[in-house]
Amino acid sequence: MTMLMTRLMLMTKLIGDKKGVTALEYALIAALIAVVIIGAVSLLGSSVSGVFSKVANTI
């Protein structure tokens, strides 16, 4: 029973803590930026590889 009360008190404290909310928002923004970067690199990676191969064959 005390373990349940301790968890409830911790959850209540975390919900009321504005620093935790701000940190979560920053983490979500960072994750979104990472997903965009990974997507851009995967889309542009093959075309950049093709350009490098063409330049290497020309040289």
Side-chain angles (χ1 to χ4, degrees), residues 35-48:
V35 166
V36 169
I37 290 172
I38 290 169
V41 168
S42 67
L43 287 175
L44 296 176
S46 60
S47 64
V48 171

Side-chain angles (χ1 to χ4, degrees), residues 1-2 5-8 12-13 20-21 23-24 28 30-32 35 40 42-44 48-50 55 57 59:
M1 186 68 155
T2 58
M5 293 297 285
T6 305
R7 287 186 181 184
L8 285 174
T12 305
K13 192 184 285 189
V21 174
L24 179 63
L28 288 173
L32 180 62
V35 166
S42 67
L43 287 175
L44 296 176
V48 171
S49 176
V55 169
N57 291 335
I59 293 175

Side-chain angles (χ1 to χ4, degrees), residues 7-21:
R7 287 186 181 184
L8 285 174
M9 289 175 57
L10 178 63
M11 290 175 65
T12 305
K13 192 184 285 189
L14 288 175
I15 290 171
D17 187 15
K18 299 296 180 190
K19 291 178 187 175
V21 174

